[in-house]
Structure formats: C-alpha cells, structure tokens
C-alpha cells in the first residue's frame, strides 16, 4: 500500500509555543499556516475505552498541598476531561501540572490555553484539509491489550472520512498489531536512531528500525535526526527498501540541518518552529506534509533546488558534525 502523497514527501513539522500542545486551539492555529498539511498528536485510551489526546503517561495534579501523578490510561474519560481549562465556564477545573526538564512541578498553562480533548473531537473540529499523524502512545513498563489499539482504530474508521491519516509509534509490537488490524492507513515506526538504548534491541539503531519495518511490512520510519546524520547511509537503505524516512529532534530547528537532509533525500523533518522554518525553506519547497504536537508541514520533494555555491555547501557540511556534538 502506498503512502498518501503528502506523507511521501519531505516536510517541516512544528510546535507553536503560544498554545499548549495536543489541543484543538493549537491544531486550529497550525492550520492557519499555508505550509501545514498534517498535524501530529499523541493518542491514549482511557480506562473506559475512549481515545483521547495527551502526550505524557501521567497527569500531574494537586490536591490540598500534595502533588499526585495519575496514569492517563487508569482514568475514566470524565475525570480526564476535568483537568485544566473547562469547556463550560461553570465547571470547576482540577489543577493540571507538569514537570519541567529540571525537575520542578509547575502549573501547566500557556498564553492561550484550551481544554483537553478526545480523538473524536479532533476529527470533528479540526479543518478537514489537514491530515493526521496519529502517534500511538504507550508506557514502556505497561502491557497493553490489543483492544486498546483497536479502540483507536475504530475511532479513526468512524470519523476520518476522506482525511489523510497515518499511524506512528515507538513500540514495535504496537506498530505490528496496528498493521495487522488494518491495511487502509500507513504505519510508521518511531526510533531514536541509536541515540538512546532500550531493553528492546529493536529500538536501538536505524538498522534495527529498518529491519522492523521490513519484517512487519510497515511503511516507513521516523528517526531522531542525529541518528540519521551520524548514519547517512541509512537514507539510501530506506529508499532501497521503499520506506519513507522522516526525522525529529531539536537539531531540526536549524534550517541548515533541514536543508542538508533535503539534499540527502530525507522525506520529512519535524521541527519546533512553524513560521521560522517554513519561511527558511520557502525558496526550495512547496506546502505539503506533517506536523508534530502542534505543527506544520512543508513539501520539499520536487521543489527547485537553491543555487548554493561550493563555499556555502562546504559550510553546511562542516556545520552538521558540529551541531551533532551539541547536547540536545
């Protein structure tokens, strides 16, 4: 099965800091960017079987003076929706907190905030022109029933209509099961590309990721960008295997890194800055593919190449190894 045209082409996927990720507001604002063709978001299934949109494995909240962590998949839908801003101003919102990278627990809010939402709401209220990259979110330490994947799939089948959709996940078995459950929507395997190690060896290198895709008949992979830049031959192997290859990671916020991947033949790049990266690549791309957490996509395939001088290309080739060494 071929990927939808948009997912077969290179793109920039972006996060907008003004809104909290995985909200209807963030998706709506992403749609305002001409370069955005897909939005990507994280799907989990509540205890009572409702697919919802949320990134973290746990919701952090405060009761009296204590902070509690509640596993999202252990919550009923009604309780999940009770955290953070409410659709009905008369309803009392429970505190929604988040742990920062330095370990502090802070109130999770944004300049323009919005309520938590379900997968059904996203299908019904986000512009139908946008495709969806649905990341199937799973906790590494929990065994998940096949039925949880089926719940997410049934919601897609019921509400997607003609909207382009593909699935992605870091978990090889979840990717395999989703591929077994259906053949209508492409399934991509997310990998850190060897930049981190896991107990499951299938997650520890680009070579393993490509093997997983071929063994389970997946449609492509999404790798941490440093893994691809450290192992550029993987791009050729992916192409020879007829696999789509996208990348994510903070290094993709540097337009030179985006351009070097364009030259390498990478199909898509996930970035954190919608407008900045879209503008930077506007001269060598047209609108089309993906978006992460809140973002955007830019078609790079078939676009005209910029006339870079040998001096400029030499700078790019020197820049990339230096950037790879920076902590991210």
């Amino acid at each position: 099965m071929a990927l939808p045209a948009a997912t077969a082409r290179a793109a920039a996927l972006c996060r907008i800091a003004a809104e909290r990720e995985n909200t209807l507001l963030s998706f709506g604002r992403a749609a305002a960017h001409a370069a955005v063709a897909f939005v990507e978001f994280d799907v989990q299934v509540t205890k009572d079987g409702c697919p919802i949109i949320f990134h973290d494995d746990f919701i952090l909240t405060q009761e009296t003076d204590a902070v509690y962590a509640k596993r999202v998949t252990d919550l009923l839908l009604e309780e999940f929706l009770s955290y953070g801003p409410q659709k009905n101003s008369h309803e009392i919102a429970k505190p929604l907190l988040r742990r920062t990278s330095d370990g502090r627990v802070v109130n999770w809010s944004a300049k323009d905030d919005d309520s938590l939402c379900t997968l059904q709401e996203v299908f019904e209220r986000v512009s139908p022109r946008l495709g969806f990259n649905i990341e199937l979110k799973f906790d590494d330490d929990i065994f998940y029933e096949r039925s949880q994947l089926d719940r997410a799939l049934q919601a897609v089948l019921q509400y997607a209509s003609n909207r382009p959709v593909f699935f992605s996940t870091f978990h090889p078995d979840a990717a395999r099961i989703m591929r077994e459950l259906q053949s209508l929507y492409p399934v991509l395997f997310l990998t850190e590309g060897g930049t981190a190690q896991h107990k499951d060896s299938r997650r520890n290198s680009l070579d393993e990721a490509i093997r997983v895709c071929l063994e389970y008949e997946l449609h492509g992979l999404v790798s941490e960008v440093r893994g691809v830049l450290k192992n550029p031959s993987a791009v050729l192997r992916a192409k020879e295997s007829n696999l789509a290859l996208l990348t994510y990671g903070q290094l993709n916020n540097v337009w030179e890194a985006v351009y070097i991947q364009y030259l390498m033949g990478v199909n898509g790049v996930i970035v954190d800055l919608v407008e900045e990266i879209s503008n930077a690549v506007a001269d060598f791309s047209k609108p089309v593919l993906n978006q992460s957490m809140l973002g955007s996509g830019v078609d790079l395939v078939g676009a005209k190449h910029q006339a870079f001088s040998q001096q400029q290309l030499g700078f790019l080739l020197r820049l990339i190894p230096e950037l790879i060494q920076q902590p991210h």
Side-chain angles (χ1 to χ4, degrees), residues 15-64:
R15 178 176 305 158
I16 305 172
E19 306 87 25
R20 184 159 46 80
E21 65 189 31
N22 283 324
T23 61
L24 292 169
L25 177 63
S26 65
F27 301 145
R29 289 189 175 174
H33 291 267
V36 180
F38 274 69
V39 292
E40 183 272 345
F41 48 79
D42 306 279
V43 168
Q44 303 186 56
V45 178
T46 60
K47 188 176 182 178
D48 49 347
C50 182
I52 50 87
I53 313 301
F54 199 75
H55 176 271
D56 297 349
D57 295 325
F58 291 86
I59 273 186
L60 297 183
T61 191
Q62 187 170 7
E63 298 176 9
T64 62

Coordinates of all heavy atoms in Angstrom, one line a residue, residues 15-64:
R15 N 6.2 23.1 16.3 CA 5.4 23.3 17.5 C 5.3 24.8 17.8 O 6.2 25.6 17.6 CB 6.2 22.7 18.7 CG 5.6 22.9 20.1 CD 6.4 22.2 21.1 NE 6.5 20.8 20.8 CZ 7.4 20.0 21.2 NH1 8.3 20.4 22.0 NH2 7.4 18.7 20.9
I16 N 4.1 25.3 18.2 CA 3.8 26.7 18.4 C 3.8 26.9 19.9 O 3.0 26.3 20.6 CB 2.5 27.1 17.8 CG1 2.5 26.8 16.3 CG2 2.3 28.6 18.0 CD1 1.2 27.1 15.6
A17 N 4.7 27.7 20.5 CA 4.8 27.8 21.9 C 3.7 28.5 22.6 O 3.5 28.4 23.8 CB 6.1 28.5 22.2
A18 N 2.9 29.3 21.9 CA 1.9 30.1 22.5 C 0.7 29.3 23.0 O -0.1 29.7 23.9 CB 1.3 31.1 21.5
E19 N 0.6 28.0 22.5 CA -0.5 27.2 22.9 C 0.0 25.9 23.5 O 1.1 25.4 23.2 CB -1.5 26.8 21.8 CG -2.0 28.0 21.0 CD -1.0 28.4 19.9 OE1 -0.2 27.6 19.4 OE2 -1.1 29.6 19.5
R20 N -0.8 25.3 24.4 CA -0.4 24.0 25.0 C -0.6 23.0 23.9 O -1.5 23.0 23.2 CB -1.2 23.7 26.2 CG -0.8 22.4 26.9 CD -1.3 22.4 28.4 NE -2.7 22.9 28.5 CZ -3.8 22.1 28.2 NH1 -3.6 20.9 27.8 NH2 -5.0 22.6 28.4
E21 N 0.4 22.0 23.9 CA 0.3 21.0 22.8 C -0.9 20.1 22.9 O -1.5 20.0 24.0 CB 1.6 20.1 22.9 CG 1.6 19.3 24.2 CD 3.0 18.6 24.4 OE1 4.0 19.2 24.0 OE2 3.0 17.6 25.0
N22 N -1.2 19.5 21.8 CA -2.3 18.5 21.8 C -3.7 19.1 22.2 O -4.5 18.5 22.9 CB -2.0 17.3 22.7 CG -1.0 16.3 22.1 OD1 -1.0 16.1 20.9 ND2 -0.2 15.8 22.9
T23 N -3.9 20.3 21.7 CA -5.2 20.9 22.0 C -5.9 21.4 20.7 O -5.2 21.6 19.7 CB -5.1 22.2 22.9 OG1 -4.3 23.2 22.2 CG2 -4.5 21.8 24.2
L24 N -7.2 21.5 20.7 CA -7.9 22.0 19.5 C -7.4 23.3 19.0 O -7.3 23.6 17.8 CB -9.4 22.0 19.7 CG -10.0 20.6 19.9 CD1 -11.5 20.7 20.4 CD2 -10.0 19.8 18.6
L25 N -7.1 24.2 20.0 CA -6.6 25.5 19.7 C -5.3 25.5 18.9 O -5.1 26.2 17.9 CB -6.5 26.4 21.0 CG -5.9 27.8 20.8 CD1 -6.8 28.6 20.0 CD2 -5.7 28.4 22.2
S26 N -4.4 24.7 19.4 CA -3.1 24.6 18.8 C -3.2 24.0 17.3 O -2.6 24.5 16.4 CB -2.1 23.7 19.6 OG -2.6 22.4 19.6
F27 N -4.1 23.0 17.2 CA -4.3 22.5 15.8 C -4.9 23.5 14.9 O -4.5 23.6 13.7 CB -5.2 21.2 15.9 CG -4.6 20.1 16.7 CD1 -5.5 19.3 17.5 CD2 -3.3 19.9 16.8 CE1 -5.0 18.3 18.3 CE2 -2.8 18.9 17.6 CZ -3.6 18.1 18.4
G28 N -5.9 24.2 15.4 CA -6.5 25.3 14.6 C -5.5 26.3 14.1 O -5.6 26.8 13.0
R29 N -4.6 26.7 15.0 CA -3.7 27.8 14.6 C -2.6 27.2 13.7 O -2.1 28.0 12.8 CB -3.1 28.4 15.9 CG -4.1 29.2 16.7 CD -3.4 30.0 17.8 NE -4.4 30.9 18.4 CZ -4.2 31.6 19.5 NH1 -3.0 31.5 20.1 NH2 -5.1 32.4 20.0
A30 N -2.3 26.0 13.8 CA -1.3 25.4 12.9 C -1.9 25.4 11.5 O -1.2 25.6 10.5 CB -1.0 23.9 13.3
A31 N -3.2 25.2 11.4 CA -3.9 25.1 10.1 C -3.9 26.5 9.4 O -4.0 26.5 8.2 CB -5.4 24.7 10.3
A32 N -3.6 27.5 10.2 CA -3.6 28.9 9.6 C -2.3 29.1 8.7 O -2.2 30.0 7.9 CB -3.7 29.9 10.6
H33 N -1.3 28.2 8.9 CA -0.1 28.3 8.2 C -0.2 27.5 6.9 O -0.6 26.4 6.9 CB 1.1 27.7 9.0 CG 1.5 28.5 10.2 ND1 2.4 29.5 10.1 CD2 1.0 28.5 11.4 CE1 2.6 30.0 11.3 NE2 1.7 29.5 12.1
A34 N 0.1 28.2 5.8 CA -0.1 27.6 4.5 C 0.7 26.3 4.3 O 0.4 25.4 3.5 CB 0.2 28.6 3.4
A35 N 1.9 26.3 5.0 CA 2.8 25.1 4.9 C 2.3 23.9 5.6 O 2.8 22.8 5.3 CB 4.2 25.5 5.4
V36 N 1.3 24.0 6.4 CA 0.9 22.9 7.2 C -0.1 22.0 6.4 O -1.1 22.5 6.0 CB 0.2 23.3 8.5 CG1 -0.3 22.1 9.3 CG2 1.1 24.2 9.3
A37 N 0.3 20.7 6.3 CA -0.6 19.8 5.6 C -1.1 18.7 6.6 O -2.1 18.1 6.4 CB 0.0 19.2 4.4
F38 N -0.3 18.4 7.6 CA -0.6 17.4 8.6 C -0.4 17.9 10.0 O 0.5 18.8 10.2 CB 0.3 16.1 8.5 CG -0.2 15.1 7.5 CD1 -0.2 15.4 6.1 CD2 -0.6 13.8 7.9 CE1 -0.6 14.4 5.2 CE2 -1.0 12.9 7.0 CZ -1.0 13.2 5.6
V39 N -1.2 17.5 10.9 CA -0.9 17.7 12.4 C -0.6 16.4 13.0 O -1.3 15.4 12.7 CB -2.0 18.5 13.1 CG1 -2.1 19.9 12.6 CG2 -3.4 17.8 13.0
E40 N 0.3 16.3 13.9 CA 0.7 15.1 14.6 C 0.3 15.2 16.1 O 0.5 16.3 16.7 CB 2.1 14.8 14.5 CG 2.6 13.5 15.1 CD 3.0 13.6 16.6 OE1 3.2 14.7 17.1 OE2 3.0 12.6 17.3
F41 N -0.3 14.2 16.7 CA -0.7 14.3 18.1 C -0.6 12.9 18.7 O -0.6 11.9 18.0 CB -2.1 14.9 18.3 CG -3.1 14.3 17.4 CD1 -3.7 13.1 17.6 CD2 -3.5 15.0 16.2 CE1 -4.7 12.6 16.8 CE2 -4.5 14.5 15.4 CZ -5.1 13.3 15.7
D42 N -0.6 12.9 20.0 CA -0.5 11.6 20.8 C -1.8 11.1 21.3 O -2.6 11.8 21.9 CB 0.4 11.9 22.0 CG 1.7 12.5 21.6 OD1 2.6 11.8 21.2 OD2 1.9 13.7 21.7
V43 N -2.1 9.8 21.0 CA -3.4 9.2 21.4 C -3.2 8.1 22.4 O -2.3 7.3 22.3 CB -4.1 8.6 20.1 CG1 -5.3 7.8 20.6 CG2 -4.6 9.8 19.2
Q44 N -4.0 8.2 23.5 CA -4.0 7.1 24.5 C -5.5 6.8 24.7 O -6.4 7.5 24.2 CB -3.4 7.6 25.8 CG -2.0 8.1 25.7 CD -1.4 8.4 27.1 OE1 -1.3 7.6 28.0 NE2 -0.9 9.7 27.2
V45 N -5.8 5.7 25.4 CA -7.1 5.2 25.6 C -7.4 5.2 27.1 O -6.7 4.6 27.8 CB -7.4 3.8 24.9 CG1 -8.8 3.3 25.2 CG2 -7.1 3.9 23.4
T46 N -8.5 5.8 27.5 CA -8.9 5.9 28.9 C -9.4 4.5 29.4 O -9.6 3.6 28.6 CB -10.0 6.9 29.1 OG1 -11.2 6.5 28.3 CG2 -9.6 8.3 28.7
K47 N -9.6 4.4 30.7 CA -10.0 3.1 31.3 C -11.3 2.6 30.8 O -11.5 1.4 30.6 CB -10.0 3.3 32.8 CG -10.2 2.0 33.6 CD -10.2 2.2 35.0 CE -10.4 0.9 35.8 NZ -10.3 1.1 37.3
D48 N -12.2 3.6 30.4 CA -13.5 3.2 29.9 C -13.5 3.2 28.3 O -14.6 3.2 27.7 CB -14.6 4.1 30.4 CG -14.3 5.6 30.3 OD1 -13.1 5.9 30.1 OD2 -15.2 6.4 30.5
G49 N -12.3 3.2 27.7 CA -12.2 2.9 26.3 C -12.4 4.0 25.3 O -12.6 3.8 24.2
C50 N -12.1 5.2 25.8 CA -12.2 6.4 24.9 C -10.9 6.9 24.5 O -10.0 7.2 25.3 CB -13.0 7.5 25.6 SG -13.2 9.0 24.5
P51 N -10.6 6.9 23.2 CA -9.3 7.5 22.7 C -9.3 9.0 22.9 O -10.2 9.7 22.6 CB -9.3 7.2 21.2 CG -10.3 6.1 21.0 CD -11.4 6.4 22.0
I52 N -8.2 9.4 23.6 CA -8.1 10.9 24.0 C -6.7 11.4 23.5 O -5.8 10.6 23.1 CB -8.2 11.1 25.5 CG1 -7.4 10.1 26.3 CG2 -9.7 10.9 25.9 CD1 -6.0 10.6 26.6
I53 N -6.5 12.7 23.5 CA -5.3 13.3 23.0 C -4.5 13.8 24.2 O -4.9 14.7 24.9 CB -5.6 14.5 22.1 CG1 -6.6 14.1 21.1 CG2 -4.3 15.0 21.4 CD1 -6.3 13.0 20.2
F54 N -3.3 13.2 24.5 CA -2.5 13.6 25.6 C -1.1 12.9 25.4 O -1.0 11.8 25.1 CB -3.1 13.1 27.0 CG -2.5 13.9 28.1 CD1 -2.9 15.2 28.4 CD2 -1.6 13.3 29.0 CE1 -2.4 15.9 29.5 CE2 -1.1 14.0 30.1 CZ -1.5 15.3 30.3
H55 N -0.1 13.7 25.7 CA 1.3 13.2 25.5 C 1.9 12.4 26.6 O 2.4 11.3 26.4 CB 2.2 14.4 25.2 CG 3.7 14.1 25.0 ND1 4.5 14.0 26.1 CD2 4.4 13.7 23.9 CE1 5.7 13.6 25.7 NE2 5.7 13.4 24.4
D56 N 1.8 12.9 27.8 CA 2.5 12.3 28.9 C 1.8 11.0 29.4 O 0.6 10.9 29.3 CB 2.6 13.3 30.1 CG 3.5 14.5 29.7 OD1 4.1 14.5 28.7 OD2 3.5 15.4 30.5
D57 N 2.5 10.1 30.0 CA 1.9 8.9 30.6 C 1.1 9.2 31.8 O 0.2 8.5 32.1 CB 3.0 7.9 30.9 CG 3.8 7.4 29.7 OD1 3.2 7.3 28.6 OD2 5.0 7.2 29.8
F58 N 1.5 10.2 32.5 CA 0.8 10.6 33.8 C 0.3 12.0 33.7 O 0.9 12.9 33.1 CB 1.7 10.5 35.0 CG 2.1 9.0 35.3 CD1 3.2 8.5 34.7 CD2 1.4 8.3 36.2 CE1 3.6 7.1 35.0 CE2 1.8 7.0 36.5 CZ 2.9 6.4 35.9
I59 N -0.9 12.2 34.3 CA -1.4 13.6 34.6 C -0.9 13.9 36.0 O -1.1 13.2 36.9 CB -2.9 13.6 34.5 CG1 -3.3 13.9 33.0 CG2 -3.5 14.7 35.4 CD1 -4.8 14.1 32.8
L60 N -0.4 15.1 36.1 CA 0.0 15.6 37.5 C -1.0 16.6 37.9 O -1.4 17.5 37.2 CB 1.4 16.3 37.4 CG 2.6 15.4 37.0 CD1 3.9 16.2 37.1 CD2 2.7 14.2 37.9
T61 N -1.5 16.5 39.2 CA -2.5 17.4 39.7 C -2.2 17.6 41.2 O -1.3 16.9 41.8 CB -3.9 16.8 39.5 OG1 -4.8 17.8 39.9 CG2 -4.1 15.6 40.4
Q62 N -2.8 18.6 41.8 CA -2.6 18.9 43.2 C -3.9 18.8 43.9 O -4.9 19.3 43.5 CB -2.0 20.3 43.3 CG -1.6 20.7 44.7 CD -0.8 22.0 44.7 OE1 -0.7 22.7 43.7 NE2 -0.3 22.4 45.9
E63 N -3.8 18.1 45.1 CA -5.0 18.0 46.0 C -4.5 18.5 47.4 O -3.5 17.9 47.9 CB -5.5 16.6 46.0 CG -6.0 16.2 44.6 CD -6.5 14.7 44.6 OE1 -6.5 14.1 45.7 OE2 -6.8 14.2 43.5
T64 N -5.1 19.5 47.9 CA -4.6 20.1 49.1 C -3.2 20.6 48.9 O -3.0 21.4 48.0 CB -4.7 19.2 50.4 OG1 -3.9 18.1 50.2 CG2 -6.2 18.8 50.6

